[in-house]
Amino acid sequence: RNMDVEASLENYFDQTIAGSSDYIFEGDLGLQGPAPRLQDSSFLSSLTSQEKDLTEDLDLSFLPDELGTQDEPSQAENLSRNEDSGIYTDCPPRESTEADTDTSNSAQNASQFNLPMTPMTPMTPMTPVAESSGIIPQLQNIVSTVNLACPLNLKSIALQARNAEYNPKRFAAVIMRIREPRTTALIFSSGKMVCTGAKSEEQSRLAARKYARVVQKLGFPAKFLDFKIQNVVGSCDVCFPIRLEGLVLTHQQFSSYEPELFPGLIYRMVKPRIVLLIFVSGKVVLTGAKERSEIYEAFENIYPILKGFRKQ
Amino acid sequence: MPSSCPECGSSNVVEDDLYSQRQWVCVDCGSVVSEGHLTTTVSDETQGRAVPYHASTEVLKKPCRNLIAGFSRVRALCRILRLSSDMESAVVSLFERAYNHPNFIFVTLTKKEILGGCCVLSVCRQCNWPVAMGTIGYLLGVDNATLGTVYREFTKALNIEISTIGIMDMLESFCYDFKLGPQQVEEVFAEPPQRLVDRTSALIELAADAWIVTGRQPLPLLFAAVYLAWQSLNPTVRMKYTFVKFCKIGKAPEQSWHRSRDSVVKRLKELRDVLCKLGRELPWLRGGTVEPNTVVPLVDDILKNHRALLLRAVRNYEQQLQNESQTAQTTECDNELSDSNRSESHSSTTPELMDPDQAGCENPADKQATDCQLPPDHWSKRHLFLPPCVKNRKRQRVDAPQLEVTGDEEISDSEIESYIRSQDEIEMYLKVQKELKKMA
């Protein structure tokens, strides 16, 4: 069984973007890591391709016509290439409901060029569209991986660290925990690390950096390569009971409801590719996302379906 | 052992095997003096081994012993569940497919047994005669979780579409399991199966409306419903028999209900509570008390008029809520006073509609056994009937305050050092480890 868990954890690493070292860490670690490959055009295109998936779902009709030529909302790097539009745009905060729901007003908004001017970095979470449901899923767990890029002596780590567990007969990794952000890390002898338990992407990154620092202080030349968020888990409450038996009948291609095995209904949404656990109490757990926007989108997709099964 | 060569007469004869055939050869002239016999009978073979199938040129593989044993086990399962011969043959062929599938050919024997159960489960669902996983589970001696894992693997590997079954589908086969025919038990206990099915079905429909069914294990609920149905069909005589006694009368196999006894008791309580809530609405009772242990004789009336009663109960509850919110607004400062007034008017003409749990929530003074900790303005207060998991929330969920970080903060050395052992600690740890090893 150990093998299965290890194999599935290792799978995380198979999917890292080839050749992209997004968060190469030089400052804190005081190391001379490989120079950031910003000049590498493939790195930039990989970034923009990530953003493209996001933007396909964004309604940008409110943007003024002059910006219509730009494919994606800005990134600092992208803008340095476009000499003409020295404009930074952000997905404007969605407090203004007219922008999305009423397209006739889009012309109005377009003429008023009052968009906030903040640069958007790739990891900035998108503000969720709250008008349709009024409920925003809370993030509960973030799983991320990072490559420390040096072989590690797990016995030595377990001996020198206060917060480490190592039981090679049960599992071939050191289990380390830190208090803030409250997280757990699995550190493998290959130098790869999995960090779980954080409540936001930034917390996960901070925690992973702290673990890397601990490993460094224990005498290993740890780097911080290929940091990637692998899974985002969110949950929320729709505040009404749900007829799961009805839902599984109408959405049988996506749903699996076996009360003898699990009390919740397992809904596998295709777009975005998210798995939702829906319970009779109205609580919903969403998992399998690589970004928090997928969680928000999935919930907005499921909410009208669930409302249909609200029984008075 | 020949000593001299017949050809040249020399006595220099040595043993020089040709491959694995013993030969005695003359060194001088090279002639073979004598040779060992290649054996011709099987009994002479001392180092013989049967050639395994994969190394032979055999075309048709004989079914292995475990597969044959699996077939007989699967057939036995089908006979116990009284499946038709068509279904039995479908199960057998499905089992053969599954057994020889690369994912399952090398698994443990226990898993192969469970695989047989999964085949039965799958065919039963396809033929619209669904069997509960719990039933297969107790027949095989495994728990639902193990069965479920194998079942999921099995449907994935063989690309079988899982059709969902509802509790109502399982009802008929479940009721027929109880031996309550007029020839099998005493007159007062006997119940024709169809009557039992109808009554149980009505009870479960009611339970479903009251949110007791969704998300729960179906078997304990089926047991509870059948028991109540049986009691309600002749309450004067049958009220005094407990659930366990009923199972013994109906000769239900002990393994099937023994494990879920506690759940059955809980479901019985929930069912009786729902019946009480509705029973109170019966107009001819004129607001008399309806208690869980005396509600069974009323079941007949309740079921006959269940829709009207449901409407009345919900409407009255909403009315009650409205009245309460009005009194709460007008007598804000006298909150405690009005609470005590309400508890005094318990025995008044208006039937007590509030869920005892919710009453506990509003009067923090009287601690209920359920210890519900819902905030006073929780959405569940607006509903009379709710899934029990919403009303009985035992622990208040505490959301930890969100840490606002950018991920790029400076990490202090002191914090990192707090996670690292000092040299003394390490030495002490190693010392203790050595001592423990010496002791072990």
Side-chain angles (χ1 to χ4, degrees):
Chain A
R1 204 141 296 166
N2 265 358
M3 299 284 276
D4 297 350
V5 180
E6 281 174 44
S8 58
L9 283 171
E10 290 295 304
N11 277 347
Y12 276 148
F13 297 100
D14 295 345
Q15 289 144 31
T16 51
I17 300 171
S20 111
S21 356
D22 302 335
Y23 298 98
I24 295 165
F25 213 74
E26 292 182 9
D28 271 20
L29 302 189
L31 291 175
Q32 283 302 295
R37 298 184 223 162
L38 282 173
Q39 304 91 330
D40 183 6
S41 59
S42 65
F43 164 64
L44 284 171
S45 58
S46 73
L47 261 187
T48 55
S49 65
Q50 275 179 311
E51 294 309 312
K52 271 210 176 65
D53 294 342
L54 242 184
T55 59
E56 261 154 18
D57 305 324
L58 287 175
D59 174 26
L60 297 173
S61 57
F62 54 80
L63 286 176
D65 292 329
E66 305 99 278
L67 296 182
T69 51
Q70 243 190 324
D71 284 348
E72 50 272 318
S74 67
Q75 300 136 31
E77 296 82 6
N78 218 8
L79 256 18
S80 60
R81 289 194 295 179
N82 293 350
E83 309 295 292
D84 321 335
S85 47
I87 303 162
Y88 292 69
T89 54
D90 188 5
C91 297
R94 311 283 194 152
E95 298 113 12
S96 50
T97 57
E98 311 107 315
D100 294 338
T101 54
D102 193 352
T103 45
S104 62
N105 282 344
S106 63
Q108 231 182 355
N109 282 341
S111 53
Q112 301 159 29
F113 197 76
N114 50 2
L115 297 163
M117 309 290 207
T118 28
M120 182 161 117
T121 56
M123 287 296 280
T124 305
M126 211 175 80
T127 337
V129 183
E131 323 90 324
S132 26
S133 67
I135 306 172
I136 300 177
Q138 287 263 52
L139 297 193
Q140 300 294 343
N141 184 25
I142 310 275
V143 178
S144 58
T145 53
V146 71
N147 187 1
L148 304 177
C150 66
L152 302 173
N153 182 340
L154 299 184
K155 267 185 85 169
S156 155
I157 293 178
L159 178 64
Q160 295 179 67
R162 286 188 182 138
N163 53 342
E165 287 173 40
Y166 181 47
N167 202 339
K169 291 192 191 135
R170 263 186 72 215
F171 192 57
V174 163
I175 303 170
M176 199 182 281
R177 293 168 223 267
I178 57 173
R179 289 177 287 268
E180 186 159 309
R182 212 166 81 87
T183 50
T184 305
L186 299 172
I187 306 176
F188 295 85
S189 52
S190 58
K192 302 238 172 104
M193 182 170 83
V194 181
C195 172
T196 63
K199 298 273 191 220
S200 77
E201 301 88 333
E202 298 81 21
Q203 282 182 38
S204 194
R205 183 137 168 274
L206 178 61
R209 281 172 56 218
K210 290 193 180 177
Y211 288 112
R213 284 277 235 118
V214 172
V215 170
Q216 273 192 321
K217 282 233 190 276
L218 294 177
F220 299 92
K223 305 204 190 71
F224 196 82
L225 308 182
D226 304 332
F227 175 80
K228 184 174 180 211
I229 304 284
Q230 299 287 357
N231 190 23
V232 177
V233 181
S235 73
C236 57
D237 189 349
V238 300
C239 296
F240 54 82
I242 302 170
R243 291 262 170 232
L244 300 178
E245 308 93 338
L247 181 57
V248 75
L249 282 178
T250 53
H251 289 75
Q252 49 191 14
Q253 327 91 290
F254 310 110
S255 326
S256 153
Y257 171 53
E258 294 284 343
E260 295 194 84
L261 296 180
F262 189 63
L265 185 150
I266 303 172
Y267 191 101
R268 293 180 194 270
M269 195 176 279
V270 172
K271 188 158 165 21
R273 242 191 96 225
I274 300 282
V275 174
L276 298 92
L277 303 176
I278 304 169
F279 296 91
V280 66
S281 57
K283 302 236 167 59
V284 180
V285 174
L286 307 99
T287 182
K290 289 275 191 269
E291 298 171 352
R292 64 161 77 191
S293 57
E294 291 174 7
I295 299 275
Y296 298 142
E297 190 189 336
F299 181 68
E300 290 305 317
N301 287 348
I302 201 78
Y303 188 69
I305 298 173
L306 296 181
K307 272 210 293 194
F309 287 95
R310 185 181 201 159
K311 199 76 181 287
Q312 287 298 23
Chain B
M1 168 85 173
S3 48
S4 62
C5 164
E7 295 280 327
C8 63
S10 115
S11 55
N12 211 349
V13 175
V14 293
E15 187 177 322
D16 183 19
D17 294 346
L18 174 69
Y19 302 115
S20 41
Q21 187 185 28
R22 287 173 87 185
Q23 290 184 336
W24 283 271
V25 182
C26 171
V27 177
D28 298 331
C29 68
S31 64
V32 177
V33 177
S34 81
E35 54 193 10
H37 291 288
L38 289 171
T39 53
T40 51
T41 53
V42 176
S43 49
D44 289 345
E45 284 284 345
T46 49
Q47 291 178 332
R49 249 188 67 192
V51 179
Y53 171 71
H54 63 261
S56 71
T57 53
E58 208 172 321
V59 173
L60 283 173
K61 182 165 160 51
K62 284 200 291 265
C64 80
R65 262 174 297 148
N66 290 326
L67 180 58
I68 299 174
F71 280 149
S72 57
R73 212 175 8 246
V74 153
R75 279 191 208 276
L77 268 176
C78 294
R79 303 245 165 88
I80 294 173
L81 294 169
R82 279 173 277 147
L83 303 181
S84 68
S85 52
D86 287 338
M87 285 172 73
E88 190 175 316
S89 42
V91 172
V92 168
S93 59
L94 184 58
F95 181 67
E96 191 172 359
R97 254 182 74 202
Y99 186 93
N100 289 320
H101 192 277
N103 287 11
F104 296 115
I105 187 73
F106 298 121
V107 298
T108 59
L109 288 178
T110 20
K111 201 163 179 185
K112 286 181 179 168
E113 274 183 46
I114 301 176
L115 199 62
C118 294
C119 294
V120 176
L121 201 61
S122 176
V123 169
C124 282
R125 284 193 179 187
Q126 281 169 11
C127 299
N128 245 337
W129 186 250
V131 163
M133 282 190 193
T135 311
I136 304 277
Y138 95 79
L139 284 173
L140 291 175
V142 294
D143 61 317
N144 271 2
T146 330
L147 183 58
T149 335
V150 182
Y151 184 63
R152 285 218 178 100
E153 275 181 48
F154 160 78
T155 46
K156 211 165 163 188
L158 273 76
N159 262 324
I160 297 176
E161 218 179 277
I162 309 182
S163 45
T164 336
I165 53 166
I167 189 170
M168 293 307 229
D169 302 321
M170 291 193 273
L171 180 60
E172 213 173 321
S173 67
F174 182 82
C175 286
Y176 276 80
D177 261 352
F178 287 88
K179 299 183 180 50
L180 293 166
Q183 304 86 11
Q184 292 159 319
V185 288
E186 290 174 32
E187 181 66 43
V188 283
F189 299 147
E191 209 58 68
Q194 197 50 50
R195 251 189 107 200
L196 196 64
V197 168
D198 291 337
R199 181 52 65 95
T200 315
S201 151
L203 273 172
I204 293 191
E205 230 186 270
L206 193 65
D209 283 337
W211 294 101
I212 299 179
V213 176
T214 314
R216 258 86 177 283
Q217 292 269 358
L219 277 181
L221 197 74
L222 282 171
F223 274 115
V226 165
Y227 170 56
L228 277 182
W230 176 79
Q231 275 194 320
S232 70
L233 286 169
N234 194 347
T236 39
V237 183
R238 296 175 186 169
M239 273 300 285
K240 60 179 192 258
Y241 293 99
T242 61
F243 170 67
V244 176
K245 202 76 183 60
F246 163 68
C247 288
K248 296 212 169 92
I249 293 171
K251 298 203 186 57
E254 180 149 347
Q255 313 100 289
S256 65
W257 55 264
H258 189 84
R259 244 185 314 184
S260 40
R261 222 171 48 244
D262 297 330
S263 302
V264 177
V265 168
K266 284 189 208 150
R267 298 296 163 268
L268 278 172
K269 178 176 184 298
E270 285 167 5
L271 263 175
R272 287 191 186 117
D273 282 342
V274 170
L275 288 168
C276 285
K277 278 189 196 159
L278 292 184
R280 284 181 199 124
E281 301 299 322
L282 285 170
W284 49 86
L285 288 181
R286 295 182 207 191
T289 48
V290 180
E291 291 304 310
N293 45 4
T294 54
V295 73
V296 175
L298 299 170
V299 168
D300 203 30
D301 291 331
I302 295 174
L303 289 176
K304 279 209 186 84
N305 308 294
H306 71 275
R307 291 202 193 284
L309 291 173
L310 265 170
L311 280 171
R312 272 188 70 145
V314 172
R315 215 180 313 131
N316 284 343
Y317 182 71
E318 283 168 3
Q319 189 66 43
Q320 184 103 355
L321 278 179
Q322 257 190 348
N323 296 345
E324 266 161 36
S325 66
Q326 282 171 3
T327 51
Q329 282 168 7
T330 53
T331 63
E332 197 90 61
C333 42
D334 298 320
N335 216 358
E336 270 148 15
L337 202 64
S338 64
D339 275 5
S340 58
N341 280 348
R342 235 181 289 127
S343 51
E344 277 170 36
S345 62
H346 251 240
S347 47
S348 72
T349 46
T350 49
E352 177 50 50
L353 284 167
M354 271 178 17
D355 193 307
D357 297 11
Q358 295 175 339
C361 288
E362 290 185 346
N363 303 354
D366 25 349
K367 267 290 195 159
Q368 297 290 317
T370 49
D371 232 289
C372 128
Q373 292 177 32
L374 287 171
D377 56 351
H378 195 252
W379 62 270
S380 64
K381 297 282 192 299
R382 281 178 257 128
H383 300 257
L384 176 57
F385 293 109
L386 270 183
C389 57
V390 180
K391 287 197 286 208
N392 300 342
R393 203 169 77 183
K394 297 272 161 76
R395 224 178 343 149
Q396 181 77 277
R397 170 153 142 192
V398 178
D399 279 324
Q402 274 290 20
L403 213 66
E404 288 304 324
V405 291
T406 62
D408 289 313
E409 282 93 344
E410 281 293 315
I411 302 174
S412 68
D413 271 350
S414 53
E415 185 189 345
I416 301 296
E417 257 148 46
S418 71
Y419 291 117
I420 299 179
R421 288 193 172 129
S422 66
Q423 199 54 38
D424 294 336
E425 272 181 58
I426 296 180
E427 282 169 19
M428 201 170 354
Y429 179 79
L430 287 171
K431 208 166 69 168
V432 174
Q433 249 196 345
K434 232 185 286 185
E435 297 291 321
L436 285 170
K437 265 205 202 120
K438 271 196 237 159
M439 278 170 30

